[in-house]
Coordinates of all heavy atoms in Angstrom, one line a residue:
S12 N 2.7 -1.0 -19.3 CA 3.0 -1.7 -20.6 C 1.7 -2.2 -21.1 O 0.7 -2.4 -20.4 CB 4.1 -2.7 -20.4 OG 3.6 -3.8 -19.6
G13 N 1.7 -2.6 -22.4 CA 0.6 -3.3 -23.0 C -0.2 -2.4 -23.9 O -1.2 -2.9 -24.5
G14 N 0.1 -1.1 -24.0 CA -0.7 -0.3 -24.9 C -0.3 -0.6 -26.3 O 0.6 -1.3 -26.7
G15 N -1.1 0.0 -27.2 CA -0.9 -0.2 -28.6 C -2.0 0.3 -29.5 O -3.0 0.9 -29.0
L16 N -2.0 -0.1 -30.7 CA -3.1 0.2 -31.6 C -4.0 -1.0 -31.8 O -3.6 -2.1 -32.0 CB -2.5 0.5 -33.0 CG -3.5 0.8 -34.2 CD1 -4.4 2.0 -33.9 CD2 -2.8 0.9 -35.5
V17 N -5.3 -0.8 -31.6 CA -6.3 -1.8 -31.7 C -7.5 -1.3 -32.5 O -7.9 -0.1 -32.4 CB -6.7 -2.4 -30.3 CG1 -7.3 -1.3 -29.5 CG2 -7.6 -3.6 -30.4
Q18 N -8.2 -2.1 -33.2 CA -9.4 -1.7 -33.9 C -10.6 -1.7 -32.9 O -10.6 -2.3 -31.9 CB -9.8 -2.7 -35.0 CG -8.7 -2.7 -36.1 CD -9.2 -3.5 -37.3 OE1 -10.2 -4.1 -37.3 NE2 -8.4 -3.5 -38.3
P19 N -11.6 -0.9 -33.2 CA -12.8 -0.8 -32.4 C -13.4 -2.2 -32.2 O -13.5 -3.0 -33.1 CB -13.8 0.1 -33.2 CG -12.9 0.9 -34.0 CD -11.7 0.1 -34.3
G20 N -13.8 -2.5 -30.9 CA -14.3 -3.8 -30.5 C -13.2 -4.7 -30.1 O -13.5 -5.8 -29.5
G21 N -12.0 -4.4 -30.2 CA -10.9 -5.2 -29.8 C -10.6 -5.1 -28.3 O -11.2 -4.4 -27.6
S22 N -9.5 -5.8 -27.9 CA -9.2 -5.9 -26.5 C -7.7 -5.6 -26.3 O -6.8 -5.9 -27.2 CB -9.5 -7.3 -25.9 OG -10.9 -7.5 -26.0
L23 N -7.3 -5.1 -25.2 CA -6.0 -5.0 -24.7 C -5.9 -5.2 -23.2 O -6.9 -5.0 -22.5 CB -5.4 -3.6 -25.0 CG -5.1 -3.2 -26.4 CD1 -4.7 -1.7 -26.5 CD2 -3.9 -4.0 -26.9
R24 N -4.8 -5.7 -22.8 CA -4.5 -5.8 -21.3 C -3.3 -4.9 -21.0 O -2.2 -5.2 -21.5 CB -4.3 -7.2 -20.9 CG -4.3 -7.3 -19.3 CD -4.1 -8.7 -18.8 NE -2.7 -9.1 -19.0 CZ -2.2 -10.1 -18.3 NH1 -2.9 -10.8 -17.4 NH2 -0.9 -10.5 -18.5
L25 N -3.5 -3.9 -20.1 CA -2.5 -3.1 -19.6 C -1.9 -3.7 -18.4 O -2.7 -4.2 -17.5 CB -2.9 -1.7 -19.4 CG -3.6 -1.0 -20.5 CD1 -3.9 0.5 -20.1 CD2 -2.7 -1.0 -21.8
S26 N -0.6 -3.6 -18.2 CA 0.0 -4.0 -17.0 C 0.8 -2.9 -16.3 O 1.3 -2.0 -17.0 CB 1.0 -5.2 -17.3 OG 0.4 -6.3 -17.8
C27 N 0.8 -2.9 -15.0 CA 1.6 -1.9 -14.2 C 2.5 -2.7 -13.3 O 2.0 -3.5 -12.5 CB 0.6 -1.0 -13.4 SG 1.4 0.1 -12.3
T28 N 3.8 -2.5 -13.5 CA 4.8 -3.2 -12.7 C 5.2 -2.2 -11.6 O 5.7 -1.1 -11.9 CB 6.0 -3.6 -13.5 OG1 5.5 -4.5 -14.5 CG2 7.0 -4.3 -12.7
V29 N 5.1 -2.6 -10.4 CA 5.4 -1.8 -9.2 C 6.8 -2.2 -8.6 O 7.0 -3.4 -8.4 CB 4.3 -1.9 -8.2 CG1 4.6 -1.0 -6.9 CG2 3.0 -1.5 -8.7
S30 N 7.6 -1.2 -8.3 CA 8.8 -1.4 -7.6 C 9.0 -0.3 -6.6 O 8.3 0.7 -6.5 CB 10.0 -1.4 -8.6 OG 10.1 -0.2 -9.3
R31 N 10.0 -0.6 -5.7 CA 10.4 0.4 -4.7 C 9.5 0.6 -3.6 O 9.7 1.4 -2.6 CB 10.8 1.8 -5.4 CG 11.9 1.7 -6.3 CD 12.1 2.9 -7.1 NE 12.4 4.1 -6.2 CZ 12.4 5.3 -6.7 NH1 12.2 5.6 -7.9 NH2 12.7 6.3 -5.8
F32 N 8.3 0.0 -3.6 CA 7.4 0.0 -2.4 C 6.6 -1.3 -2.4 O 6.5 -2.0 -3.5 CB 6.6 1.2 -2.4 CG 5.6 1.4 -3.5 CD1 4.3 0.8 -3.5 CD2 6.0 2.2 -4.6 CE1 3.5 1.0 -4.5 CE2 5.1 2.4 -5.7 CZ 3.8 1.8 -5.6
T33 N 6.0 -1.6 -1.3 CA 5.2 -2.8 -1.1 C 3.8 -2.5 -1.6 O 3.1 -1.6 -1.1 CB 5.2 -3.3 0.3 OG1 6.5 -3.5 0.8 CG2 4.4 -4.5 0.5
L34 N 3.4 -3.2 -2.6 CA 2.1 -2.9 -3.3 C 0.9 -3.0 -2.4 O 0.0 -2.1 -2.5 CB 1.9 -3.9 -4.5 CG 0.7 -3.6 -5.3 CD1 0.7 -2.2 -5.9 CD2 0.6 -4.7 -6.4
D35 N 0.9 -3.9 -1.4 CA -0.3 -4.1 -0.6 C -0.6 -2.9 0.4 O -1.6 -2.9 1.1 CB -0.4 -5.4 0.1 CG 0.8 -5.7 1.0 OD1 1.7 -4.8 1.2 OD2 0.9 -6.8 1.5
Y36 N 0.3 -1.9 0.4 CA 0.0 -0.7 1.3 C -0.8 0.3 0.5 O -1.1 1.4 1.1 CB 1.3 -0.1 1.7 CG 2.0 -0.9 2.8 CD1 3.2 -1.6 2.6 CD2 1.5 -0.8 4.1 CE1 3.8 -2.3 3.6 CE2 2.2 -1.5 5.2 CZ 3.3 -2.2 4.9 OH 3.9 -2.9 5.9
Y37 N -1.0 0.1 -0.8 CA -1.6 1.1 -1.6 C -2.9 0.6 -2.4 O -2.9 -0.5 -2.9 CB -0.6 1.6 -2.7 CG 0.6 2.2 -2.1 CD1 1.7 1.5 -1.7 CD2 0.6 3.6 -1.9 CE1 2.8 2.1 -1.1 CE2 1.8 4.2 -1.4 CZ 2.8 3.4 -1.0 OH 3.9 4.0 -0.5
A38 N -3.9 1.4 -2.4 CA -4.9 1.2 -3.4 C -4.3 1.7 -4.7 O -3.4 2.5 -4.8 CB -6.2 2.1 -3.0
M39 N -4.9 1.1 -5.8 CA -4.3 1.4 -7.1 C -5.4 1.8 -8.1 O -6.5 1.4 -8.0 CB -3.6 0.1 -7.7 CG -2.4 -0.4 -6.8 SD -1.1 0.8 -6.7 CE -0.5 0.8 -8.4
G40 N -5.0 2.7 -9.0 CA -5.9 3.2 -10.0 C -5.4 3.3 -11.4 O -4.1 3.3 -11.5
W41 N -6.3 3.3 -12.3 CA -5.9 3.6 -13.7 C -6.6 4.9 -14.1 O -7.8 5.0 -13.8 CB -6.3 2.5 -14.6 CG -5.4 1.3 -14.6 CD1 -5.6 0.2 -13.8 CD2 -4.2 1.1 -15.3 NE1 -4.6 -0.7 -14.0 CE2 -3.7 -0.2 -14.9 CE3 -3.5 1.8 -16.2 CZ2 -2.5 -0.7 -15.4 CZ3 -2.3 1.3 -16.7 CH2 -1.8 0.0 -16.3
F42 N -5.9 5.8 -14.7 CA -6.4 7.0 -15.3 C -6.0 7.1 -16.7 O -5.1 6.5 -17.2 CB -5.9 8.2 -14.5 CG -6.4 8.3 -13.1 CD1 -5.9 7.5 -12.1 CD2 -7.5 9.1 -12.7 CE1 -6.3 7.5 -10.8 CE2 -7.9 9.2 -11.4 CZ -7.4 8.4 -10.4
R43 N -6.7 8.0 -17.4 CA -6.3 8.2 -18.8 C -6.5 9.7 -19.2 O -7.2 10.4 -18.5 CB -7.2 7.4 -19.8 CG -8.6 7.7 -19.8 CD -9.4 6.7 -20.6 NE -10.8 7.0 -20.7 CZ -11.7 6.2 -21.2 NH1 -11.4 5.0 -21.7 NH2 -13.0 6.6 -21.3
Q44 N -5.7 10.1 -20.2 CA -5.8 11.5 -20.6 C -5.7 11.5 -22.1 O -4.7 11.1 -22.7 CB -4.7 12.3 -20.0 CG -4.8 13.8 -20.2 CD -3.9 14.6 -19.3 OE1 -3.0 14.1 -18.7 NE2 -4.3 15.9 -19.1
A45 N -6.7 12.1 -22.7 CA -6.7 12.3 -24.2 C -6.3 13.7 -24.5 O -6.5 14.6 -23.7 CB -8.1 12.0 -24.7
P46 N -5.9 14.0 -25.7 CA -5.5 15.4 -26.1 C -6.7 16.3 -25.9 O -7.8 16.0 -26.3 CB -5.2 15.2 -27.6 CG -4.7 13.8 -27.8 CD -5.6 13.0 -26.8
G47 N -6.4 17.4 -25.3 CA -7.4 18.5 -25.0 C -8.3 18.2 -23.9 O -9.3 19.0 -23.6

């Protein structure tokens, strides 16, 4: 959650809510994919 439209130079904070497993057993990452 936390995505949206922002102007260049602006800020956003993305959040990832984890369920169904214990978070501290996993390293975590963020990836992104743009069109093409």
Side-chain angles (χ1 to χ4, degrees):
S12 63
L16 175 64
V17 64
Q18 294 188 358
S22 298
L23 286 173
R24 188 180 76 161
L25 305 184
S26 298
C27 176
T28 302
V29 178
S30 63
R31 298 171 59 187
F32 63 88
T33 302
L34 183 60
D35 58 4
Y36 285 106
Y37 298 86
M39 300 295 295
W41 287 95
F42 293 78
R43 65 189 183 187
Q44 189 164 21

